[in-house]
Amino acid sequence: MSSREQILSGIRARRIRRADRPASYVAPTPQGDPVQRFADEVRSEHAEVHMLDSEAGIPAAIADILRAKNLPASVHLPDGSAFAGLPWGSLTVEQSAPGPDDAALARADFAIAETGTLAYLAQTGAPASWHFRAGLEIAVIRADAILPHLENVLTRVRARLPHTLNLVTGPSRTGDIEQTLELGAHGPKALAILIVRS
């Protein structure tokens, strides 16, 4: 028997025929208000948070964000976006892919309070690439979709797991360049999150 055959034979002899199934995950009891924890974590990741009473306030909030950043009064929406029917007023709505100098709007399906992370499920009206194109990403998340932990999100999406699940925590960044934090390395330089209470 060659050395190779001896090694493979030894591996086969030690192979586990049947492993015990791990215990089901039990999430720890949430501490405090998940919406407040999420907002605090988001701010610590160099992103801004705005609280809204309803989705009707989205256009005015976006207009304020764009004005504060001295950006054009224009926002990009993906084709089939649920926000297309909002009363946009003086804002120009572009239904084309945004560029690095543009603002784009997307709905986050869930958020993770523990880390300040947005969870985007790729689907019609929400392409997976949308979160990497714009210079300013504006995300909308419902307060009741902010969950304590990643495991809570995975439990919710298990039945309808999409082909892509993007997890976004703050604006894009890297520390590779001379050990200096650079924002906008692989996507948006800025992130604004609109939390809708109802």
Side-chain angles (χ1 to χ4, degrees), residues 6-196:
Q6 286 177 340
I7 291 170
L8 292 176
S9 176
I11 291 171
R12 287 186 196 100
R14 291 181 187 89
R15 188 173 9 183
I16 297 173
R17 299 290 177 212
R18 183 166 182 239
D20 294 332
R21 185 178 180 91
S24 296
Y25 174 78
V26 178
T29 304
Q31 301 296 317
D33 177 23
V35 174
Q36 186 59 52
R37 171 111 189 250
F38 173 75
D40 293 343
E41 292 295 328
V42 164
R43 290 184 184 106
S44 74
E45 294 295 336
H46 308 287
E48 58 186 275
V49 177
H50 303 269
M51 300 297 292
L52 303 178
D53 291 326
S54 71
E55 287 191 357
I58 291 173
I62 291 174
D64 289 344
I65 292 167
L66 295 175
R67 194 176 307 111
K69 295 181 180 304
N70 201 27
L71 291 172
S74 174
V75 65
H76 289 254
L77 295 178
D79 285 335
S81 171
F83 299 121
L86 287 175
W88 289 101
S90 62
L91 285 175
T92 301
V93 175
E94 305 279 349
Q95 292 201 305
S96 60
D101 297 323
D102 297 324
L105 178 66
R107 180 188 302 277
D109 299 279
F110 297 102
I112 304 164
E114 181 180 28
T115 57
T117 301
L118 297 166
Y120 295 100
L121 281 63
Q123 54 195 314
T124 303
S129 63
W130 199 254
H131 318 289
F132 306 108
R133 296 174 174 261
L136 167 63
E137 180 175 12
I138 303 170
V140 176
I141 180 73
R142 292 182 59 85
D144 60 5
I146 299 173
L147 305 176
H149 305 283
L150 172 62
E151 292 80 6
N152 302 114
V153 172
L154 295 176
T155 299
R156 293 272 185 100
V157 302
R158 182 177 293 146
R160 60 180 179 116
L161 196 62
H163 61 84
T164 303
L165 170 63
N166 284 323
L167 300 174
V168 175
T169 307
S172 169
R173 71 194 76 197
T174 184
D176 296 352
I177 305 166
E178 299 179 8
Q179 281 77 48
T180 303
L181 181 65
E182 295 287 336
L183 295 179
H186 315 292
K189 291 181 180 179
L191 172 64
I193 299 173
L194 310 179
I195 301 175
V196 180

